[in-house]
């Protein structure tokens, strides 16, 4: 009788698990929309960029209907946890701190942190002591913000955090900052398109290479594995390289 009760209990657990399983034929995805060239709002109001293209390619690979929405960076993880969407494809760096809240897929690109400066800046290297007494900007809630506060701030720099990278860059242009710490690829894109007259790339910060992944809720392991398989597939079939080639003339993986 005890065996029968145990078996019955196991059956109920399995049935409950089956009832809760999702087929993921529809996936809601959030991106920031303020981090070109990875995600931005085009003139026609559409979301575009490498993150958006990757998200669409993954959805096509898993044969899912996807809806992509813009979400401010500060609320992007809370929105995921509140079930406003199912995944975040927004150039989110994989960190141990974020892993306490969300689960990540395998990486879909890697990037180091870099420093950008006014062209006439006397600062010659990224060593923290070079920024003693200087004012550094970074987007809040990011790895570059953490690095700026933990390393440059402790070396005597004043660190100012901004809601978006564009706002930090604008203060650099207007002379309110001595430097901005950013992921290398969007920083290079900004200099090429908007900051070439005023600013320059100082260089990469040694030891800051990090991986970017897709965030999902910790309980949605089936979605995470589905997306992992899709990342592998688009890397193998050439779709990934075609997307990256639209934005960069070098490998970012």
């Amino acid at each position: 009788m005890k065996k029968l009760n145990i078996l019955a209990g196991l059956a109920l657990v399995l049935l409950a698990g089956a009832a809760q399983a999702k087929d993921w034929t529809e996936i809601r995805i959030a991106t920031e929309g303020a981090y070109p060239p990875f995600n931005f709002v085009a003139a026609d109001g559409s979301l575009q960029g490498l993150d958006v293209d990757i998200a669409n390619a993954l959805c096509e690979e898993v044969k899912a209907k996807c809806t992509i929405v813009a979400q401010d960076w500060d609320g992007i993880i809370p929105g995921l946890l509140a079930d406003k969407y199912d995944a975040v494809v927004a150039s989110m760096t994989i960190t141990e701190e974020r892993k306490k809240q969300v689960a990540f897929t395998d990486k879909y690109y890697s990037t180091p942190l870099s420093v950008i400066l006014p062209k006439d800046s006397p600062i010659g290297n990224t060593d923290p002591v070079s920024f003693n007494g200087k004012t550094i900007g970074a987007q809040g809630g990011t790895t570059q913000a953490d690095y700026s506060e933990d390393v440059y701030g402790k070396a005597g720099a004043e660190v100012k955090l901004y809601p978006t990278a564009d706002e930090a860059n604008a203060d650099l242009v207007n002379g309110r900052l001595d430097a901005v710490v950013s992921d290398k690829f969007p920083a290079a894109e900004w200099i090429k398109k908007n900051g070439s007259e005023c600013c320059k790339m100082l260089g990469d910060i040694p030891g800051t290479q990090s991986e970017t992944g897709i965030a999902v809720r910790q309980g949605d392991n089936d979605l995470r594995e589905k997306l992992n398989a899709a990342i592998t597939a688009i890397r193998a079939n050439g779709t990934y390289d075609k997307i990256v080639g639209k934005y960069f003339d070098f490998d970012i993986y």
Side-chain angles (χ1 to χ4, degrees):
M1 191 64 180
K2 287 183 179 179
K3 280 188 178 181
L4 287 174
N5 287 337
I6 291 171
L7 289 172
L10 287 172
L12 287 172
V13 169
L14 291 171
L15 284 171
Q20 293 172 2
K22 298 181 182 179
D23 56 14
W24 299 111
T25 55
E26 294 188 17
I27 303 172
R28 301 163 299 164
I29 296 172
T31 195
E32 183 185 9
Y35 201 63
F38 291 94
N39 55 77
F40 57 93
V41 180
D44 63 0
S46 63
L47 285 166
Q48 296 185 19
L50 184 141
D51 287 328
V52 177
D53 290 349
I54 290 289
N56 283 323
L58 296 176
C59 289
E60 184 174 344
E61 185 65 34
V62 301
K63 297 178 172 52
K65 176 184 176 182
C66 287
T67 304
I68 304 177
V69 298
Q71 169 66 54
D72 289 345
W73 184 257
D74 285 349
I76 209 160
I77 287 180
L80 176 66
L81 300 180
D83 199 33
K84 290 175 63 178
Y85 32 82
D86 306 305
V88 173
V89 188
S91 291
M92 185 175 287
T93 302
I94 301 169
T95 67
E96 292 304 316
E97 190 64 28
R98 287 176 179 151
K99 283 181 180 178
K100 295 175 183 177
Q101 300 181 74
V102 300
F104 283 99
T105 64
D106 298 335
K107 72 169 184 175
Y108 64 96
Y109 78 86
S110 302
T111 182
L113 297 182
S114 291
V115 177
I116 52 179
L117 304 166
K119 281 187 172 179
D120 60 357
S121 174
I123 299 172
N125 58 66
T126 62
D127 194 299
V129 297
S130 299
F131 294 87
N132 182 27
K134 305 297 184 181
T135 304
I136 294 176
Q139 182 180 11
T142 63
T143 51
Q144 50 265 36
D146 293 342
Y147 188 92
S148 296
E149 292 183 319
D150 293 344
V151 178
Y152 289 126
K154 290 178 181 177
E158 178 187 354
V159 178
K160 294 181 67 177
L161 302 182
Y162 295 80
T164 68
D166 281 345
E167 290 172 81
N169 294 340
D171 266 8
L172 181 67
V173 173
N174 293 325
R176 299 187 186 97
L177 295 173
D178 297 300
V180 167
V181 177
S182 174
D183 283 342
K184 179 179 183 177
F185 303 143
E189 180 74 4
W190 177 78
I191 288 177
K192 182 172 72 174
K193 290 190 173 179
N194 302 299
S196 59
E197 296 297 318
C198 72
C199 304
K200 64 183 179 181
M201 182 88 72
L202 176 61
D204 298 351
I205 300 174
T208 60
Q209 184 82 7
S210 57
E211 297 183 345
T212 294
I214 298 169
V216 301
R217 286 179 292 274
Q218 290 179 344
D220 290 338
N221 192 56
D222 48 352
L223 176 59
R224 186 180 67 85
E225 291 304 321
K226 189 181 284 281
L227 292 172
N228 276 342
I231 291 170
T232 300
I234 66 169
R235 288 270 300 156
N237 66 22
T239 301
Y240 178 88
D241 290 340
K242 187 180 293 185
I243 291 170
V244 171
K246 289 174 57 179
Y247 303 95
F248 304 103
D249 56 6
F250 51 86
D251 182 25
I252 67 171
Y253 188 76

